Amino acid sequence: MTEQELWKLLDNMSLEEKAGQLVQCNAGQFIENHLEITGPNGESLPAEELNRVMGSVLTFEDAKQAKALQDKHLAADPNKIPLLLMLDVIHGLRTTYPIPLAMGCSFDDGLMAECADMARKESAACGVHVTFNPMVDTARDARWGRILETNSEEPLINSRMGAALVRATQGDSLADPGNVACCVKHYAAYGAGEAGRDYNTVDVSERMLRETYLPAYKACLRAGARLIMPSFNALNGVPSVANKHLMNDILRKEWGFNGVVISDYDAVGELVTHGIAEDLKDAARLAMEAGCDIDMVKNAYYLHLAELVREGKVAEEKLNAAVMRVLRLKNELGLFENPYHGADEEAEEKLYLCPEHREIARRAAEETAVLLKNEGILPFRKEVKRVALIGPFAEETRLNGFWSRPGAERYTVTIPEGIRALLPEVELVTEKGCGVEIGDTDLSGIDRAAEIAAGADAVILALGEPENYSGEGRSRAELTLPGPQLELARSVLQANANTAVILFNGRPLVLNGLARTAPAILEMWYPGTEAGNAVARLLWGEANPCGKLSAGLPRSVGQYPMPYNRMNTGRPKPEPDDQPAPFSSCYLDMPNLPLYSFGYGLSYTSFAYEKLELSRRTLEKGGMLQVTVTVRNTGSVPGKETVQLYFRDPVASVVRPVQQLLDYRKVFLNPGEAAEVVFTVREEQFRFYGMNGEEISEPGEIRISTGYADHLILTERFLLLPESVNDH
Ligand code: BGC
């Protein structure tokens, strides 16, 4: 349709019908499905009435349901406006790839794009028009259960991976039925909830907001994301969905976003529980005024917007503008001509879990695993024939993580399956040993597990957190391995020193005791469909671990917040970190630094950083220079290394971080081979939020280093020049 035709369509709609376009309902009200909903249904209204007017639905299962929903609606809608169908496809639809926090550990934007591309194909075939992805809430507190949905504690990784996902999902044109629109979320700073509790209040300075939390949303919008979802939390006193500073000043005016804003689940209704709206009508007015276009599930807009317009409390132009944004998106997706978009049962059959998709998922599971410790026992030698596979995760199928589809566990390759497929000659004995829930105290299986361990050539000890301990509404105050898993580990490690621990969890955990005693630890996160194949290949050296931590692992919950790019203080703690230093910024009872830092991860080979060179010693406003890092594989097997570049601005008008990631690139090197990795560095990358609220860089020294957080090596310096130098 032309823009003119869309306006004409709008002109013919009643106020109620317009409000209907801004209503999103649960598909479960119209069809039977098994998908989890993350809150209550909206104000009760007859399903028939909703079906006639509603503009979009969320959560449905397959192409058949997608078509049925669309048919049913179009048959009833007097204006024949197709529905938008939305779904949370977060890390794969049927073929599940690793959780986003794990994807961050790959430090590989290309891999992210490959995974997103496979999810796009499966989603389009399923009939999805919009995915509620990417989630780019920078998160620095692992108590928050949703940390698994984000790529990293680092905004640069979230920005780059989020943008890569958007490009791969939306493609060149949304009219292509193979492409799916992205809704970036949760705007803004949802990851900064007080005390790590989900939905909790966020209070951050404008500088913190702009430097840490906003960049990733902005990067995804720049990459073309068509929708954005305000977060549940109150930000500096005002819930995001009614926050004019966020939605008007920054999103629409500063960033020029003209796509669709959709509330989070019931968030319009929650303006009442937040205590900033008197009732649902007031809530509808506040959200509309702030610029929220679609009301997810609450029906507040449908019940009250028309009346609010008639009473003169909401301008009709405002309502029209919101409806037009929704209609334009439908038009861009080509729904007026082809309301099913990509929904296609045959394509589903062909694509879901196809060998090509499984191969990508397996590679991703391998490249996101982080080898935390290895005292020479991994990879297992070929002579290892009798293997004890012990622990509550030994035969677990729920290794997909939050937002995997119901039933995803049916398709998971288990660890025994993976080992048998790779090494049919290995004699495998499995034993659970103990439970994994917080309340589990039964130690009776531990002796038997130790006995089995004692008789094996090698032991794989599979520990972790139950799959439902992380995700939405799943914060924890303790971050230790739940249940008697540490008791199990103690006995098994005593029985057989040739024990490799593998971990399955959705957040950084506190691993102190285990890290001291276990000779090898491989962090697998929730690797998804291909879990078992990836584990087997990694343990036996068919794949070489190359993941680096996208968020540091603390020694204690008491260290939070502990961002790697912490600000300098007036009394920084002197080295060594393991001794308290009187009247410095430190703890009496533990070091300041995490147990494993951001950017850390081992390999079966070793890498030497030989040289760091700058192409120039000065940099003017708007200029660029090149940084070359020479890295060599000094071990005996091929491997991938993530070259990380950090910087520090040692003197500025406001306090700056002690280290900040500037760029990263992954390289593959054969034994003995060296690579020169060249980074182009631009002056803009050194800008920060100045005293007067402008983005500035200041003249003076900048230090560039490589290595990883708190272990920087090979530092070089250059001078940022004052602006006037540039003018001559
Ligand atoms: C979550 C969102 C999600 C939405 C729709 C909410 O509870 O916060 O991330 O997209 O539900 O499922």
Side-chain angles (χ1 to χ4, degrees):
M1 279 205 210
T2 61
E3 175 79 4
Q4 214 179 4
E5 285 168 326
L6 290 178
W7 277 106
K8 203 158 157 235
L9 180 61
L10 182 85
D11 277 349
N12 289 333
M13 290 162 75
S14 68
L15 282 178
E16 281 72 15
E17 286 164 355
K18 288 180 186 176
Q21 282 305 305
L22 309 183
V23 166
Q24 174 156 97
C25 298
N26 262 317
Q29 291 176 267
F30 315 100
I31 43 160
E32 214 178 293
N33 66 36
H34 304 98
L35 293 164
E36 190 177 16
I37 53 173
T38 51
N41 267 321
E43 300 305 287
S44 137
L45 283 168
E48 257 173 52
E49 184 179 346
L50 285 175
N51 178 48
R52 194 169 54 79
V53 295
M54 66 187 176
S56 60
V57 292
L58 83 162
T59 59
F60 59 98
E61 283 184 271
D62 50 28
K64 193 166 160 229
Q65 287 193 355
K67 289 180 177 175
L69 281 160
Q70 196 66 279
D71 289 345
K72 195 169 176 173
H73 167 74
L74 284 174
D77 182 353
N79 299 305
K80 303 285 173 237
I81 302 175
L83 285 176
L84 274 172
L85 304 185
M86 308 200 191
L87 192 63
D88 290 276
V89 184
I90 307 298
H91 49 114
L93 189 85
R94 284 297 151 91
T95 317
T96 312
Y97 62 85
I99 55 168
L101 188 66
M103 290 304 293
C105 297
S106 75
F107 278 71
D108 188 341
D109 310 342
L111 181 70
M112 181 75 249
E114 264 189 279
C115 288
D117 187 59
M118 121 184 138
R120 167 189 68 78
K121 289 183 189 149
E122 294 191 11
S123 306
C126 173
V128 179
H129 305 152
V130 174
T131 170
F132 296 117
N133 206 22
M135 187 283 213
V136 288
D137 300 323
T138 296
R140 298 151 154 225
D141 188 333
R143 288 175 294 181
W144 190 46
R146 299 196 80 168
I147 194 170
L148 85 96
E149 292 178 52
T150 193
N151 291 129
S152 176
E153 70 167 76
E154 166 51 53
L156 180 69
I157 299 180
N158 292 337
S159 301
R160 280 175 44 175
M161 289 206 164
L165 187 146
V166 169
R167 284 190 213 101
T169 309
Q170 295 194 155
D172 292 334
S173 157
L174 286 182
D176 180 335
N179 293 336
V180 172
C182 285
C183 174
V184 54
K185 66 190 187 183
H186 308 82
Y187 180 68
Y190 182 34
E194 269 179 12
R197 283 210 318 274
D198 207 0
Y199 316 121
N200 211 2
T201 284
V202 173
D203 219 310
V204 295
S205 68
E206 193 70 13
R207 172 166 301 108
M208 176 70 101
L209 182 68
R210 289 187 178 260
E211 291 184 350
T212 301
Y213 294 103
L214 296 190
Y217 310 110
K218 190 175 170 187
C220 293
L221 296 180
R222 282 220 172 129
R226 297 295 198 278
L227 301 91
I228 191 166
M229 183 189 291
S231 53
F232 282 126
N233 56 280
L235 176 69
N236 301 335
V238 185
S240 299
V241 74
N243 194 315
K244 289 184 179 166
H245 178 54
L246 272 182
M247 308 253 276
N248 276 330
D249 302 347
I250 300 178
L251 181 66
R252 298 280 189 208
K253 291 197 189 129
E254 221 180 290
W255 296 352
F257 178 67
N258 55 15
V260 173
V261 175
I262 176 167
S263 85
D264 203 346
Y265 200 107
D266 191 25
V268 175
E270 288 173 16
L271 293 176
V272 179
T273 34
H274 266 294
I276 73 153
E278 249 168 48
D279 51 25
L280 201 57
K281 184 172 171 186
D282 202 24
R285 180 184 63 79
L286 286 174
M288 194 66 202
E289 264 177 11
C292 173
D293 299 326
I294 299 180
D295 163 17
M296 188 190 287
V297 307
K298 191 60 181 175
N299 299 335
Y301 278 8
Y302 184 60
L303 287 169
H304 301 294
L305 269 187
E307 197 185 345
L308 283 164
V309 170
R310 283 191 192 103
E311 289 170 1
K313 292 186 178 145
V314 165
E316 188 164 1
E317 296 73 58
K318 194 134 198 151
L319 172 64
N320 287 346
V323 178
M324 278 303 285
R325 283 191 283 268
V326 173
L327 294 180
R328 283 192 200 108
L329 178 61
K330 293 182 175 186
N331 193 38
E332 201 188 345
L333 281 156
L335 298 183
F336 289 101
E337 293 76 32
N338 171 16
Y340 294 158
H341 200 56
D344 179 345
E345 290 92 329
E346 270 176 35
E348 283 181 294
E349 187 84 357
K350 213 172 78 200
L351 290 167
Y352 290 168
L353 299 154
C354 66
E356 193 196 322
H357 288 190
R358 278 184 173 274
E359 196 273 330
I360 297 170
R362 195 209 74 230
R363 207 152 26 83
E366 290 167 9
E367 303 235 343
T368 50
V370 184
L371 185 61
L372 295 175
K373 186 174 177 189
N374 187 17
E375 288 176 344
I377 72 162
L378 288 178
F380 287 142
R381 284 166 294 114
K382 293 279 177 252
E383 305 84 78
V384 166
K385 287 289 174 270
R386 274 178 313 151
V387 174
L389 171 58
I390 293 173
F393 285 82
E395 294 179 288
E396 182 58 74
T397 53
R398 287 163 299 174
L399 303 176
N400 294 291
F402 198 75
W403 287 131
S404 52
R405 304 270 289 182
E409 64 278 6
R410 274 181 285 153
Y411 310 108
T412 314
V413 178
T414 63
I415 306 169
E417 284 164 356
I419 295 175
R420 282 193 198 105
L422 183 72
L423 302 148
E425 68 285 3
V426 161
E427 197 186 304
L428 195 63
V429 190
T430 56
E431 179 66 38
K432 197 167 170 209
C434 71
V436 74
E437 299 289 340
I438 287 168
D440 279 338
T441 51
D442 183 5
L443 307 179
S444 62
I446 292 184
D447 285 349
R448 162 116 187 98
E451 211 176 286
I452 293 173
D457 299 337
V459 181
I460 303 166
L461 183 56
L463 308 175
E465 251 190 337
E467 200 191 33
N468 62 1
Y469 276 30
S470 47
E472 185 175 345
R474 286 148 199 203
S475 294
R476 286 184 70 196
E478 298 281 0
L479 299 180
T480 44
L481 286 167
Q485 295 187 85
L486 288 178
E487 281 91 332
L488 173 69
R490 209 170 297 133
S491 298
V492 169
L493 286 164
Q494 244 164 37
N496 191 331
N498 200 23
T499 294
V501 174
I502 53 173
L503 293 173
F504 299 94
N505 45 280
R507 55 158 63 82
L509 291 175
V510 171
L511 298 174
N512 299 333
L514 203 60
R516 256 194 316 275
T517 52
I521 305 178
L522 182 64
E523 173 59 78
M524 291 299 303
W525 309 108
Y526 293 122
T529 310
E530 285 287 306
N533 288 332
V535 165
R537 285 168 48 83
L538 285 161
L539 291 181
W540 269 271
E542 286 293 314
N544 186 353
C546 60
K548 305 280 184 187
L549 290 175
S550 59
L553 306 195
R555 293 168 195 272
S556 155
V557 172
Q559 288 182 308
Y560 279 125
M562 48 150 226
Y564 84 92
N565 57 348
R566 60 195 174 274
M567 291 295 163
N568 200 11
T569 74
R571 294 192 180 187
K573 186 181 182 187
E575 306 261 344
D577 187 39
D578 57 358
Q579 298 297 321
F583 301 106
S584 77
S585 175
C586 73
Y587 298 110
L588 291 179
D589 49 359
M590 73 177 60
N592 278 8
L593 299 183
L595 186 62
Y596 295 113
S597 292
F598 171 81
Y600 168 83
L602 302 172
S603 162
Y604 294 153
T605 188
S606 50
F607 297 97
Y609 283 75
E610 296 180 342
K611 239 189 297 171
L612 174 76
E613 287 172 311
L614 308 185
S615 62
R616 305 167 52 190
R617 290 285 160 188
T618 56
L619 186 61
E620 70 286 351
K621 274 259 147 47
M624 54 174 78
L625 60 77
Q626 284 182 338
V627 181
T628 306
V629 183
T630 310
V631 55
R632 184 181 301 278
N633 181 344
T634 51
S636 53
V637 290
K640 283 187 181 173
E641 170 71 338
T642 297
V643 180
Q644 303 167 45
L645 213 58
Y646 292 82
F647 79 99
R648 180 170 185 172
D649 183 347
V651 183
S653 53
V654 295
V655 177
R656 304 310 303 144
V658 299
Q659 56 197 346
Q660 195 170 331
L661 188 69
L662 182 62
D663 207 339
Y664 54 87
R665 179 120 26 94
K666 208 162 182 178
V667 287
F668 172 85
L669 293 171
N670 279 311
E673 193 186 350
E676 284 192 346
V677 182
V678 183
F679 296 98
T680 299
V681 166
R682 288 167 288 104
E683 173 271 327
E684 296 96 86
Q685 291 171 278
F686 305 99
R687 293 189 190 162
F688 56 87
Y689 187 75
M691 297 274 254
N692 303 321
E694 311 123 4
E695 280 208 346
I696 50 165
S697 70
E698 291 174 341
E701 181 186 281
I702 297 285
R703 293 179 198 159
I704 304 277
S705 310
T706 187
Y708 65 94
D710 304 315
H711 297 79
L712 300 181
I713 47 171
L714 301 180
T715 298
E716 286 292 336
R717 296 164 165 77
F718 70 88
L719 273 185
L720 267 176
L721 298 176
E723 201 151 4
S724 55
V725 173
N726 199 16
D727 300 337
H728 299 306

